Amino acid sequence: MIGAMAIRTETRPEGRGFAGVSARVWVALGLVYVIWGSTYLAIREAVRTMPPFLSAAVRFLVAGSVLYAWAIRRGDRETDRPGLQQWKAATIAGGLLLLGGNGAVVWAERHIPSGITALAIATVPLWMVVIGRVGFRDRITLREVVGVLVGFAGLVVLVGFRGAGGRTLDLAGVGVALAGAVCWATGSLYSRRAALPKRPLVSTALQMLAGGVLLLITAAATGQFGQVRLSHISAASWAGLAYLIVIGSWVAFNAYVWLLQNARISLVGTYAYVNPAVAVFLGWAILGERITWVTLVAGAIIVVAVALIVSARGPGAGAAAQEPVPAEDR
């Protein structure tokens, strides 16, 4: 998960059909596909020898501090200065998205495969429809209703047939990952209405800093400071953390923001159902995670459900511009 925050920006459609899409857009989209899909792999490596909440806190405090120092001096500095109200909104949003969403991911990846975690987090659009309707009285379309039903059918397959292929899933790990998806969806809907800074990068930096502090408090409360043994932290874990900070939180997020300003929302929104496929593939190819027929079938059903929901309102009204970046980063 999760760059990690909900952002606001205007999109300038680039044209219709693949013929109207420039090479620069495809490069940026490829970065988002591969990097955000690979963050699940990086998280898995990081938490092997690092305490999960503490590693996530370090990630977002470092990434947020550098991003804030760079972004706060750019754009509308007169009328878009972060004040108490903006910090309060960022704390609530960052708490839901990073402590609740990303915190669930880092904890779950100690108990279930990275690919399964990615499939659980891929249900965020499903929960956004449900929570938006129940909690915020948002209007929903028939296609969104179908997408939700299909998506939950995918979850039933994923969890209900967990014994297929000779392995069982840790139900606590799956449950925490799904709880993270619910937190991410709630934070996304809240962010749309919150008094966050209008400058996307400033808003993201505030949420990273606030979420990082909350993760740090959680790490202290759960005794993770006492678990740190620098000599026991592997080079792979350090590399995973560095990758999450530099590549996941800076490179991919900037590519995403650029896409929102230069490409069609419907095209940008495809990351939501490509990222899980990338995560499952990398988990198999690099970590040796087993892919069973249950994973393939459940993953295909969930991806179809997400595609239905993302495309439900047409090219001009897709959710990508206001949804959060995946928790892994995502």
Side-chain angles (χ1 to χ4, degrees):
M1 271 178 180
I2 124 213
M5 307 301 98
I7 61 173
R8 299 172 180 174
T9 185
E10 297 297 325
T11 302
R12 297 192 296 272
E14 198 179 72
R16 298 180 180 276
F18 291 138
V21 179
S22 71
R24 293 180 66 189
V25 167
W26 284 121
V27 170
L29 198 60
L31 288 174
V32 171
Y33 284 168
V34 174
I35 293 174
W36 280 345
S38 66
T39 53
Y40 291 94
L41 170 64
I43 289 173
R44 181 75 167 185
E45 288 298 331
V47 300
R48 283 186 189 276
T49 58
M50 289 181 177
F53 297 135
L54 185 57
S55 65
V58 171
R59 171 192 176 185
F60 290 113
L61 287 173
V62 173
S65 297
V66 175
L67 184 61
Y68 183 84
W70 185 85
I72 195 63
R73 301 175 182 275
R74 289 163 174 78
D76 184 4
R77 293 180 292 175
E78 298 300 323
T79 63
D80 190 35
R81 292 182 177 180
L84 182 61
Q85 189 176 21
Q86 285 70 39
W87 276 106
K88 179 181 177 181
T91 301
I92 295 173
L96 288 167
L97 294 168
L98 295 185
L99 176 58
N102 192 270
V105 169
V106 296
W107 188 90
E109 288 217 34
R110 278 198 163 186
H111 301 271
I112 58 177
S114 62
I116 300 299
T117 306
L119 290 178
I121 298 301
T123 64
V124 166
L126 281 64
W127 298 111
M128 287 186 70
V129 172
V130 174
I131 296 170
R133 177 59 182 168
V134 175
F136 296 91
R137 298 184 181 276
D138 289 348
R139 295 181 62 183
I140 59 176
T141 66
L142 178 59
R143 185 181 293 186
E144 287 174 315
V145 173
V146 173
V148 169
L149 294 176
V150 171
F152 285 128
L155 287 177
V156 170
V157 172
L158 183 65
V159 178
F161 293 89
R162 62 187 182 278
R167 290 191 177 185
T168 59
L169 286 178
D170 184 318
L171 291 183
V174 175
V176 168
L178 289 174
V182 173
C183 287
W184 204 270
T186 306
S188 303
L189 293 167
Y190 168 78
S191 297
R192 292 180 177 183
R193 300 161 172 81
L196 291 166
K198 296 179 181 179
R199 289 176 288 174
L201 296 182
V202 174
S203 175
T204 297
L206 261 61
Q207 292 173 72
M208 283 185 178
L209 290 170
V213 170
L214 292 174
L215 282 163
L216 197 65
I217 293 171
T218 303
T222 55
Q224 291 191 4
F225 282 95
Q227 300 171 16
V228 177
R229 299 290 185 273
L230 292 179
S231 61
H232 294 173
I233 298 177
S234 68
S237 289
W238 285 118
L241 181 60
Y243 182 89
L244 290 168
I245 294 172
V246 178
I247 307 300
S249 296
W250 293 336
V251 175
F253 183 75
N254 279 308
Y256 179 73
V257 171
W258 183 86
L259 281 168
L260 289 177
Q261 298 171 338
N262 293 274
R264 299 188 309 276
I265 290 296
S266 57
L267 182 62
V268 179
T270 58
Y271 81 81
Y273 40 93
V274 174
N275 288 165
V278 172
V280 170
F281 172 78
L282 291 177
W284 167 77
I286 298 177
L287 298 178
E289 295 177 350
R290 190 173 182 180
I291 299 180
T292 66
W293 69 267
V294 173
T295 304
L296 292 174
V297 172
I301 294 173
I302 291 172
V303 166
V304 168
V306 173
L308 284 170
I309 293 171
V310 170
S311 63
R313 297 179 181 177
Q322 295 182 352
E323 286 183 4
V325 177
E328 39 316 307
D329 107 55
R330 119 184 43 158

